[in-house]
Amino acid sequence: MSRSSLGYRSKKNDITIIEQLQKLASDHPREGFWKSYYRLRNKGEQVNHKRLHRIYKQMGLPLRRKVKKRLPERVKEPLSIPTHFTQTWSIDFMHDVLQNGRKFRTFNVIDDFNREILFIESDYSIKSSRMIWVLNHLIARYGKPDKIRMDNGPELIAHLAKDWSSAQGIEFKYIQPGKPTQYAFIERFNGTYREDILDANLFFSLEHVYDITKPWKEDYNQERPHEALTNCTPNEYAA
């Protein structure tokens, strides 16, 4: 038998180290490998860090590191009021919870010119593909905007969204992180929607969310006076 075909099997017993690592992981669940290594060394355990790391990985103890995603530099731009309808839209996501404890999201789209609510989509999960579907629907109904203003949420900076904006010739205007006043129009709308609908009602299903939101949306666009629009409704101001 060739010597190269023989596999070496370590004679060292890892049971003691495994037990010690299990206790450390139980007592200090948020400490990583090196903290465990030096705790054992300080107690007099003479163990090689390579061997300890091998056992540590076999036990499935490594902590998952949360790497902060680096965003491209966002340019500070003053918030300007568009001169006509369907020039600039603002989009944002909101969160709430049903009566049974299940979370849901809403995807809100408004026109910055007359603050009209163009769409409110609600579901348990709204991914980039769903967001693109809503925007395509609105373009077919109202026409293509020049710009869409948004924050730096994961659905909004996804490659699918960027590819779609390039194909449509629509400029995505990202605000600077932590600067919600740079798209204050939809932030103001979100506060109103939160106060009038989300915080004022106990929802039992997504259908219930839709049934409450639909008449409120119609009243907001057609009946409710808006102070920033000289107390006109969004539809009157656009006309």
Side-chain angles (χ1 to χ4, degrees), residues 161-201:
K162 294 180 180 179
D163 294 342
W164 178 85
S165 67
S166 299
Q168 293 286 340
I170 299 174
E171 183 181 3
F172 276 6
K173 302 295 292 185
Y174 293 99
I175 67 170
Q176 292 178 301
K179 302 291 184 180
T181 55
Q182 292 182 6
Y183 72 150
F185 296 143
I186 197 164
E187 284 289 338
R188 180 65 183 88
F189 164 75
N190 289 346
T192 303
Y193 184 54
R194 171 72 64 185
E195 183 177 353
D196 290 356
I197 298 299
L198 298 183
D199 286 351
N201 295 276

Side-chain angles (χ1 to χ4, degrees), residues 194-227:
R194 171 72 64 185
E195 183 177 353
D196 290 356
I197 298 299
L198 298 183
D199 286 351
N201 295 276
L202 183 62
F203 300 107
F204 299 98
S205 64
L206 288 176
E207 290 75 15
H208 191 198
V209 178
Y210 175 79
D211 292 340
I212 296 293
T213 297
K214 184 180 179 181
W216 179 85
K217 173 177 173 287
E218 294 174 353
D219 176 78
Y220 187 96
N221 288 337
Q222 301 172 15
E223 302 293 338
R224 182 181 183 273
H226 202 296
E227 293 180 6

